[in-house]
Amino acid sequence: MTEQGKSCNWALEINDLTVAYNSKPALWDVDLRVPEGVLLAIVGPNGAGKSTLIKATLDLIPRAAGSIRIYGKPYRQARNLVGYVPQRGSVDWDFPTSVLDVTMMGLYGKIGWFKRPGKKERELAMSALEQVGIAHLAHRQISQLSGGQQQRTFLARALVQDAQVYFMDEPFAAVDAVTERAIVNILKELRERGKTVIVVHHDLQTVRDYFDWVALLNVEMVAVGTVYEAFTNDNLRKTYGGRIAGIGAASGAIDVTSTRDSAEYAEVGDAV
Amino acid sequence: MLIIERMIIDILLNFTSIEQLNTFMAQPRNVAIIVGALVAIAAALPGVFLLLRKMALTSDAISHTVLLGIVVAFMIMVGLGANPDLNSPLLLIGAAAAGVVTVMLTEAIYRSGLVKADAALGLAFPFLFALAIILISHYVDNVHLDEDAVLVGEIGVAYANINVHCYEQCDSITITPDDARAEFGRRCTNCSAGGLSPRDPEAEFETYCINCGTHTAAEAWRERLIDSPPVQVRWPRAITTMGLIALVNIIFITLFYKELKLVSFDEALAGALGFRPTVLHYTLMILVSLTAVAAFDAVGSILVVAFFIIPVATAYLLTDRLSLIIILSPIFGIAGVYWGYDLARGYFWGLPLDGVLQWLDSIIELNGYTTWNTSISAAMVLMLAAIFVVVWMMSPRYGLIATIINRRLRRLQFEDQMLLVHLYNHLGGEREAEELALETLHQHLQWPRMKLERVLARVRLRQLAKIQHGQVYITQAGIEAVRNFAEQNLPVEHQEQIIRAVGD
């Protein structure tokens, strides 16, 4: 990817973003700069504004202040650079349609208004389904899918978008171990192809294994950076707040034990 | 409107004669069924997406609040000094606006976070409906908007509400005194002024032309000024209105099929891809409002809800393919209209209901209530519901009967499998002789003996097991069946266990 001008250095650049629901801030003066070609996890307790951050980036909800640039352009002009995987629970899986149909929805943006998907689109969708390993389910009714298969369908739908930056809202939520591994592999493959993937993530335990960048968010942005720099006990405590009891021997750098601790923070955070 | 009607008639006249067309349209039954079928088509199409978006009851709300739109449109017409008219396009605009206001108000109440979505709907539409009722009683007293029209519509008399289109001998005739057809009379010029009787010698007379002036073609024929009657087509207005709305809905659903599907399934992605979910949402709501107000005349504002929902719910029972649902829903709607009309007129699939009532009267006292004549639109809705019930029972996948049969089949299959797995697991084992003995097998499975015999008979019939020397053995085909069942029904690890256990 050629880099033109300084703002193009960032795949995603968010400046001073504030979003409010009924004058209650969901995101408060958030800055986030993500370089191209990284896997970034957004972590934080429930109600920290993780999904809100993605939705605001995709212009799905109005923002009170701030600017968002994708490869230096506002979202409207960068739409075809962006792939989106909403939360699996946000749609009705009893909807009368097939896996292939859902996958092709990722191409609707390129097809544009009025026109219908054709043979070419079907082939693209099939190859995306092969990539996520459920090509044999292409004509299955989506109501008959397991949770993992649903998530793979959503992933295939994002893959056909052939984007530069992917936003995924909790793709690992309630999927089986096999699917989780498959998704991780696809994420790493995307990174190798120079794509940027931004994932809302809940499981602190796997952050170090799956991601190379992390953003710790709790309405305000606590820390952003490589996992090595930003994913520290200190930052986790700031993110998850005083609700975490028994942090115990808080050390500076994270080791294996403290990652296990942080998984407990997540549980505490979820419970609150 | 008239131009469109004329175009439709011109097209139809390629296939039929004016005389045939008039005879056909003079039949209340034909017109009622055509109008009803158009209502069914127009309502079922947006109905599909209402159901998909879990907004079925929004159609109920809108069909009530369009009344507010109608009333406000009426008031504007009166305010502008125009003659209030139930066919004015202003009415459609008012209805569309009322629909949008209903949805917006509901969403605003919901977003305030004070109540849940269903309660928000329940708050918004009775409020707007009440407003409409108060406005009607205060300002539009003299207008024909009675309860009957609101409740059940007037589809039965749709044939009588016509526009006349003239095709031949249409010119108006002007008779001048020098025309051969002019007729003359004499009248007294000073009688009334002078208080004179015409017989009075003082009375003065003049000759005047009785039929001079301009006559429409119909008047000219009545006066026999022309030799043959004007050739006219009498066209029921409701067909044009409903037909137009149906056409608009068909075009909208066809053009935006892909977009509507995406927005209904995944609004977030639709927004991210730039498909304007809000615009599509409100367009759909406007179409629902227009359909409701157009169907208002025909089936009333309450029963139109049934046309939005029931045929779609019926199609839903039969298929998982959206395109097929869109095609099937109007068909179920039309079927309900067709049989519903006959039902209202006293025939249920050719069975005269009057006869049934009279027969019942002869057995039990019906107090002379022996004529069956009921509201047409109500009967249509009744038939829609009846079709739903029939499909619900008969549907091959989700139907009641299919479910019962499937459950029974699965139970039988499971019994077979339990026996086969037992036979399989103990085949060649240490206690084979004891476990597989025909005499005691039922005790090992803890089954009543009768049940074992039943199950054994079934698996033997399918040659999955055999009896040799008082022992029950599984056959090769039985082993296959156990493996297949394990593969289809058990998680991978268990499958392997079973297959290992069975295979060794």
Side-chain angles (χ1 to χ4, degrees), chain B residues 361-404:
Chain B
D361 192 42
S362 67
I363 305 170
I364 50 171
E365 198 61 47
L366 286 179
N367 297 326
Y369 178 70
T370 51
T371 37
W372 179 282
N373 190 4
T374 183
S375 155
I376 297 167
S377 52
M380 286 175 175
V381 172
L382 212 61
M383 281 317 288
L384 291 177
I387 293 171
F388 176 84
V389 171
V390 170
V391 171
W392 172 58
M393 290 199 289
M394 310 297 265
S395 159
R397 219 175 315 173
Y398 305 117
L400 184 68
I401 294 171
T403 314
I404 292 172

Short mmCIF file of all heavy atoms in Angstrom, two decimals, chain B residues 361-404:
data_model
loop_
_atom_site.label_atom_id
_atom_site.label_comp_id
_atom_site.label_asym_id
_atom_site.label_seq_id
_atom_site.Cartn_x
_atom_site.Cartn_y
_atom_site.Cartn_z
N ASP B 361 -82.53 -25.79 11.99
CA ASP B 361 -83.73 -25.23 12.60
C ASP B 361 -84.76 -26.32 12.86
O ASP B 361 -85.51 -26.27 13.83
CB ASP B 361 -84.31 -24.15 11.68
CG ASP B 361 -85.39 -23.33 12.38
OD1 ASP B 361 -85.17 -23.01 13.57
OD2 ASP B 361 -86.40 -23.04 11.75
N SER B 362 -84.78 -27.30 11.97
CA SER B 362 -85.76 -28.37 12.13
C SER B 362 -85.37 -29.29 13.29
O SER B 362 -86.20 -29.99 13.84
CB SER B 362 -85.88 -29.18 10.84
OG SER B 362 -84.67 -29.87 10.60
N ILE B 363 -84.10 -29.29 13.67
CA ILE B 363 -83.66 -30.16 14.76
C ILE B 363 -83.65 -29.38 16.07
O ILE B 363 -84.30 -29.76 17.05
CB ILE B 363 -82.25 -30.71 14.50
CG1 ILE B 363 -82.22 -31.42 13.14
CG2 ILE B 363 -81.85 -31.70 15.59
CD1 ILE B 363 -80.83 -31.78 12.71
N ILE B 364 -82.88 -28.29 16.08
CA ILE B 364 -82.87 -27.45 17.28
C ILE B 364 -83.48 -26.10 16.93
O ILE B 364 -83.43 -25.67 15.78
CB ILE B 364 -81.42 -27.25 17.81
CG1 ILE B 364 -80.51 -26.81 16.67
CG2 ILE B 364 -80.91 -28.51 18.47
CD1 ILE B 364 -79.13 -26.38 17.11
N GLU B 365 -84.03 -25.45 17.94
CA GLU B 365 -84.72 -24.19 17.69
C GLU B 365 -83.71 -23.08 17.39
O GLU B 365 -82.86 -22.76 18.21
CB GLU B 365 -85.55 -23.81 18.92
CG GLU B 365 -86.62 -22.79 18.63
CD GLU B 365 -87.63 -23.29 17.60
OE1 GLU B 365 -88.11 -24.44 17.72
OE2 GLU B 365 -87.90 -22.52 16.66
N LEU B 366 -83.78 -22.49 16.19
CA LEU B 366 -82.91 -21.37 15.86
C LEU B 366 -83.68 -20.05 15.84
O LEU B 366 -83.21 -19.04 15.37
CB LEU B 366 -82.23 -21.58 14.52
CG LEU B 366 -81.10 -22.61 14.45
CD1 LEU B 366 -80.57 -22.69 13.04
CD2 LEU B 366 -79.98 -22.26 15.41
N ASN B 367 -84.93 -20.12 16.33
CA ASN B 367 -85.79 -18.93 16.35
C ASN B 367 -85.91 -18.28 14.98
O ASN B 367 -85.85 -17.08 14.84
CB ASN B 367 -85.28 -17.90 17.36
CG ASN B 367 -85.32 -18.45 18.77
OD1 ASN B 367 -86.22 -19.23 19.10
ND2 ASN B 367 -84.34 -18.08 19.57
N GLY B 368 -86.03 -19.12 13.99
CA GLY B 368 -86.26 -18.60 12.65
C GLY B 368 -85.05 -17.96 12.01
O GLY B 368 -85.13 -17.37 10.94
N TYR B 369 -83.90 -18.09 12.67
CA TYR B 369 -82.68 -17.49 12.11
C TYR B 369 -82.14 -18.44 11.04
O TYR B 369 -81.27 -19.25 11.29
CB TYR B 369 -81.67 -17.28 13.23
CG TYR B 369 -80.36 -16.73 12.77
CD1 TYR B 369 -80.25 -15.41 12.33
CD2 TYR B 369 -79.22 -17.52 12.76
CE1 TYR B 369 -79.04 -14.90 11.91
CE2 TYR B 369 -78.01 -17.02 12.34
CZ TYR B 369 -77.93 -15.70 11.91
OH TYR B 369 -76.74 -15.21 11.48
N THR B 370 -82.71 -18.36 9.85
CA THR B 370 -82.37 -19.38 8.87
C THR B 370 -81.81 -18.81 7.59
O THR B 370 -81.62 -19.55 6.63
CB THR B 370 -83.62 -20.23 8.50
OG1 THR B 370 -84.65 -19.32 8.14
CG2 THR B 370 -84.03 -21.09 9.65
N THR B 371 -81.52 -17.51 7.54
CA THR B 371 -80.85 -17.01 6.34
C THR B 371 -79.42 -16.61 6.69
O THR B 371 -79.15 -15.97 7.70
CB THR B 371 -81.57 -15.79 5.74
OG1 THR B 371 -82.05 -15.00 6.81
CG2 THR B 371 -82.66 -16.20 4.81
N TRP B 372 -78.54 -17.06 5.84
CA TRP B 372 -77.12 -16.80 6.04
C TRP B 372 -76.74 -15.64 5.14
O TRP B 372 -76.72 -15.76 3.94
CB TRP B 372 -76.32 -18.04 5.66
CG TRP B 372 -74.84 -17.83 5.83
CD1 TRP B 372 -74.02 -17.15 4.98
CD2 TRP B 372 -74.04 -18.28 6.90
NE1 TRP B 372 -72.76 -17.16 5.46
CE2 TRP B 372 -72.73 -17.85 6.64
CE3 TRP B 372 -74.30 -19.03 8.06
CZ2 TRP B 372 -71.67 -18.14 7.51
CZ3 TRP B 372 -73.25 -19.31 8.90
CH2 TRP B 372 -71.95 -18.86 8.62
N ASN B 373 -76.50 -14.50 5.74
CA ASN B 373 -76.06 -13.36 4.94
C ASN B 373 -75.22 -12.50 5.86
O ASN B 373 -75.69 -12.00 6.86
CB ASN B 373 -77.26 -12.56 4.42
CG ASN B 373 -76.80 -11.54 3.41
OD1 ASN B 373 -75.62 -11.49 3.06
ND2 ASN B 373 -77.72 -10.73 2.96
N THR B 374 -73.94 -12.38 5.54
CA THR B 374 -73.08 -11.73 6.52
C THR B 374 -72.11 -10.79 5.84
O THR B 374 -72.07 -10.70 4.61
CB THR B 374 -72.35 -12.79 7.35
OG1 THR B 374 -71.57 -12.13 8.34
CG2 THR B 374 -71.42 -13.62 6.49
N SER B 375 -71.32 -10.11 6.62
CA SER B 375 -70.36 -9.16 6.08
C SER B 375 -69.36 -9.86 5.18
O SER B 375 -68.78 -10.88 5.53
CB SER B 375 -69.62 -8.47 7.22
OG SER B 375 -68.36 -8.03 6.77
N ILE B 376 -69.18 -9.30 3.98
CA ILE B 376 -68.30 -9.94 3.02
C ILE B 376 -66.85 -9.92 3.49
O ILE B 376 -66.16 -10.94 3.47
CB ILE B 376 -68.43 -9.25 1.65
CG1 ILE B 376 -69.85 -9.41 1.13
CG2 ILE B 376 -67.43 -9.83 0.66
CD1 ILE B 376 -70.15 -8.53 -0.03
N SER B 377 -66.40 -8.74 3.95
CA SER B 377 -64.99 -8.66 4.32
C SER B 377 -64.70 -9.53 5.54
O SER B 377 -63.65 -10.17 5.61
CB SER B 377 -64.58 -7.22 4.57
OG SER B 377 -65.46 -6.61 5.47
N ALA B 378 -65.64 -9.61 6.47
CA ALA B 378 -65.43 -10.47 7.63
C ALA B 378 -65.33 -11.92 7.20
O ALA B 378 -64.48 -12.68 7.68
CB ALA B 378 -66.56 -10.29 8.63
N ALA B 379 -66.19 -12.31 6.25
CA ALA B 379 -66.15 -13.69 5.77
C ALA B 379 -64.82 -13.97 5.07
O ALA B 379 -64.27 -15.07 5.17
CB ALA B 379 -67.32 -13.95 4.82
N MET B 380 -64.32 -12.96 4.34
CA MET B 380 -63.03 -13.14 3.67
C MET B 380 -61.91 -13.38 4.69
O MET B 380 -61.08 -14.26 4.53
CB MET B 380 -62.70 -11.91 2.82
CG MET B 380 -63.53 -11.82 1.55
SD MET B 380 -63.19 -10.28 0.67
CE MET B 380 -64.17 -10.56 -0.82
N VAL B 381 -61.94 -12.59 5.75
CA VAL B 381 -60.91 -12.75 6.78
C VAL B 381 -61.05 -14.11 7.45
O VAL B 381 -60.06 -14.79 7.74
CB VAL B 381 -61.00 -11.61 7.81
CG1 VAL B 381 -60.07 -11.86 8.98
CG2 VAL B 381 -60.66 -10.29 7.14
N LEU B 382 -62.31 -14.51 7.64
CA LEU B 382 -62.56 -15.83 8.23
C LEU B 382 -61.93 -16.92 7.36
O LEU B 382 -61.30 -17.86 7.86
CB LEU B 382 -64.07 -16.05 8.33
CG LEU B 382 -64.57 -16.89 9.50
CD1 LEU B 382 -64.17 -16.23 10.80
CD2 LEU B 382 -66.07 -17.06 9.40
N MET B 383 -62.08 -16.77 6.04
CA MET B 383 -61.51 -17.77 5.14
C MET B 383 -59.98 -17.71 5.17
O MET B 383 -59.32 -18.75 5.10
CB MET B 383 -62.01 -17.56 3.71
CG MET B 383 -63.39 -18.08 3.43
SD MET B 383 -63.74 -19.71 4.12
CE MET B 383 -62.76 -20.76 3.07
N LEU B 384 -59.43 -16.50 5.27
CA LEU B 384 -57.96 -16.38 5.38
C LEU B 384 -57.48 -17.17 6.59
O LEU B 384 -56.50 -17.93 6.52
CB LEU B 384 -57.53 -14.92 5.51
CG LEU B 384 -57.70 -14.00 4.30
CD1 LEU B 384 -57.29 -12.59 4.68
CD2 LEU B 384 -56.87 -14.49 3.14
N ALA B 385 -58.19 -16.98 7.70
CA ALA B 385 -57.79 -17.68 8.92
C ALA B 385 -57.97 -19.19 8.75
O ALA B 385 -57.14 -19.98 9.20
CB ALA B 385 -58.62 -17.17 10.10
N ALA B 386 -59.07 -19.58 8.07
CA ALA B 386 -59.31 -21.01 7.86
C ALA B 386 -58.19 -21.62 7.02
O ALA B 386 -57.70 -22.72 7.32
CB ALA B 386 -60.66 -21.22 7.18
N ILE B 387 -57.75 -20.88 5.99
CA ILE B 387 -56.66 -21.38 5.15
C ILE B 387 -55.40 -21.53 6.00
O ILE B 387 -54.66 -22.52 5.90
CB ILE B 387 -56.41 -20.43 3.96
CG1 ILE B 387 -57.60 -20.46 3.02
CG2 ILE B 387 -55.15 -20.82 3.21
CD1 ILE B 387 -57.55 -19.41 1.94
N PHE B 388 -55.17 -20.54 6.87
CA PHE B 388 -54.01 -20.63 7.74
C PHE B 388 -54.06 -21.91 8.59
O PHE B 388 -53.09 -22.64 8.68
CB PHE B 388 -53.92 -19.40 8.66
CG PHE B 388 -52.80 -19.47 9.65
CD1 PHE B 388 -51.52 -19.09 9.29
CD2 PHE B 388 -53.02 -19.94 10.94
CE1 PHE B 388 -50.47 -19.17 10.20
CE2 PHE B 388 -51.98 -20.04 11.85
CZ PHE B 388 -50.71 -19.65 11.47
N VAL B 389 -55.22 -22.16 9.16
CA VAL B 389 -55.34 -23.33 10.03
C VAL B 389 -55.11 -24.62 9.24
O VAL B 389 -54.37 -25.51 9.68
CB VAL B 389 -56.72 -23.36 10.72
CG1 VAL B 389 -56.94 -24.66 11.45
CG2 VAL B 389 -56.84 -22.19 11.70
N VAL B 390 -55.70 -24.68 8.05
CA VAL B 390 -55.52 -25.88 7.22
C VAL B 390 -54.04 -26.08 6.90
O VAL B 390 -53.49 -27.18 7.04
CB VAL B 390 -56.36 -25.78 5.92
CG1 VAL B 390 -56.00 -26.90 4.97
CG2 VAL B 390 -57.84 -25.82 6.27
N VAL B 391 -53.37 -24.99 6.48
CA VAL B 391 -51.95 -25.10 6.12
C VAL B 391 -51.12 -25.47 7.35
O VAL B 391 -50.21 -26.29 7.29
CB VAL B 391 -51.44 -23.79 5.49
CG1 VAL B 391 -49.93 -23.82 5.32
CG2 VAL B 391 -52.11 -23.56 4.16
N TRP B 392 -51.49 -24.87 8.47
CA TRP B 392 -50.77 -25.16 9.71
C TRP B 392 -50.84 -26.65 10.03
O TRP B 392 -49.88 -27.25 10.49
CB TRP B 392 -51.36 -24.32 10.84
CG TRP B 392 -50.84 -24.66 12.19
CD1 TRP B 392 -49.53 -24.63 12.59
CD2 TRP B 392 -51.59 -25.09 13.31
NE1 TRP B 392 -49.44 -25.01 13.90
CE2 TRP B 392 -50.69 -25.30 14.37
CE3 TRP B 392 -52.96 -25.32 13.53
CZ2 TRP B 392 -51.10 -25.74 15.63
CZ3 TRP B 392 -53.37 -25.73 14.78
CH2 TRP B 392 -52.45 -25.94 15.80
N MET B 393 -52.02 -27.22 9.76
CA MET B 393 -52.14 -28.65 10.05
C MET B 393 -51.43 -29.50 9.01
O MET B 393 -50.80 -30.50 9.33
CB MET B 393 -53.62 -29.02 10.14
CG MET B 393 -54.27 -28.44 11.39
SD MET B 393 -55.80 -29.23 11.84
CE MET B 393 -56.88 -28.68 10.56
N MET B 394 -51.52 -29.07 7.73
CA MET B 394 -51.07 -29.95 6.65
C MET B 394 -49.64 -29.69 6.19
O MET B 394 -49.08 -30.51 5.48
CB MET B 394 -51.99 -29.79 5.43
CG MET B 394 -53.46 -29.89 5.73
SD MET B 394 -53.88 -31.51 6.36
CE MET B 394 -54.37 -32.27 4.83
N SER B 395 -49.06 -28.56 6.57
CA SER B 395 -47.75 -28.20 6.04
C SER B 395 -46.74 -29.32 6.27
O SER B 395 -46.64 -29.87 7.36
CB SER B 395 -47.25 -26.92 6.73
OG SER B 395 -45.85 -26.83 6.60
N PRO B 396 -46.00 -29.69 5.20
CA PRO B 396 -45.11 -30.85 5.33
C PRO B 396 -43.99 -30.64 6.34
O PRO B 396 -43.49 -31.61 6.89
CB PRO B 396 -44.56 -31.03 3.91
CG PRO B 396 -44.85 -29.76 3.21
CD PRO B 396 -46.03 -29.14 3.86
N ARG B 397 -43.59 -29.38 6.59
CA ARG B 397 -42.44 -29.22 7.46
C ARG B 397 -42.81 -28.79 8.87
O ARG B 397 -42.39 -29.39 9.85
CB ARG B 397 -41.45 -28.22 6.86
CG ARG B 397 -40.03 -28.70 7.09
CD ARG B 397 -39.01 -27.83 6.44
NE ARG B 397 -39.37 -27.48 5.08
CZ ARG B 397 -38.67 -26.61 4.37
NH1 ARG B 397 -37.63 -26.02 4.89
NH2 ARG B 397 -39.03 -26.32 3.14
N TYR B 398 -43.60 -27.72 8.96
CA TYR B 398 -43.91 -27.20 10.28
C TYR B 398 -45.33 -27.52 10.71
O TYR B 398 -45.76 -27.08 11.75
CB TYR B 398 -43.71 -25.68 10.29
CG TYR B 398 -42.35 -25.26 9.84
CD1 TYR B 398 -42.18 -24.48 8.70
CD2 TYR B 398 -41.22 -25.67 10.54
CE1 TYR B 398 -40.92 -24.11 8.29
CE2 TYR B 398 -39.96 -25.30 10.12
CZ TYR B 398 -39.81 -24.51 9.00
OH TYR B 398 -38.57 -24.14 8.59
N GLY B 399 -46.05 -28.25 9.87
CA GLY B 399 -47.46 -28.48 10.14
C GLY B 399 -47.67 -29.36 11.36
O GLY B 399 -46.79 -30.09 11.80
N LEU B 400 -48.89 -29.24 11.90
CA LEU B 400 -49.24 -29.98 13.10
C LEU B 400 -49.13 -31.48 12.86
O LEU B 400 -48.50 -32.22 13.61
CB LEU B 400 -50.68 -29.60 13.50
CG LEU B 400 -51.20 -30.19 14.79
CD1 LEU B 400 -50.45 -29.58 15.95
CD2 LEU B 400 -52.68 -29.89 14.92
N ILE B 401 -49.76 -31.92 11.76
CA ILE B 401 -49.78 -33.36 11.48
C ILE B 401 -48.37 -33.86 11.21
O ILE B 401 -47.94 -34.90 11.74
CB ILE B 401 -50.72 -33.64 10.28
CG1 ILE B 401 -52.16 -33.31 10.71
CG2 ILE B 401 -50.61 -35.08 9.84
CD1 ILE B 401 -53.16 -33.33 9.59
N ALA B 402 -47.63 -33.09 10.41
CA ALA B 402 -46.26 -33.50 10.09
C ALA B 402 -45.43 -33.61 11.36
O ALA B 402 -44.64 -34.55 11.52
CB ALA B 402 -45.63 -32.50 9.12
N THR B 403 -45.63 -32.64 12.27
CA THR B 403 -44.85 -32.67 13.51
C THR B 403 -45.19 -33.91 14.33
O THR B 403 -44.31 -34.59 14.86
CB THR B 403 -45.15 -31.41 14.35
OG1 THR B 403 -45.10 -30.28 13.49
CG2 THR B 403 -44.14 -31.25 15.45
N ILE B 404 -46.49 -34.21 14.42
CA ILE B 404 -46.89 -35.39 15.18
C ILE B 404 -46.29 -36.65 14.56
O ILE B 404 -45.71 -37.49 15.24
CB ILE B 404 -48.43 -35.49 15.24
CG1 ILE B 404 -48.98 -34.33 16.08
CG2 ILE B 404 -48.86 -36.82 15.83
CD1 ILE B 404 -50.48 -34.21 16.03
#
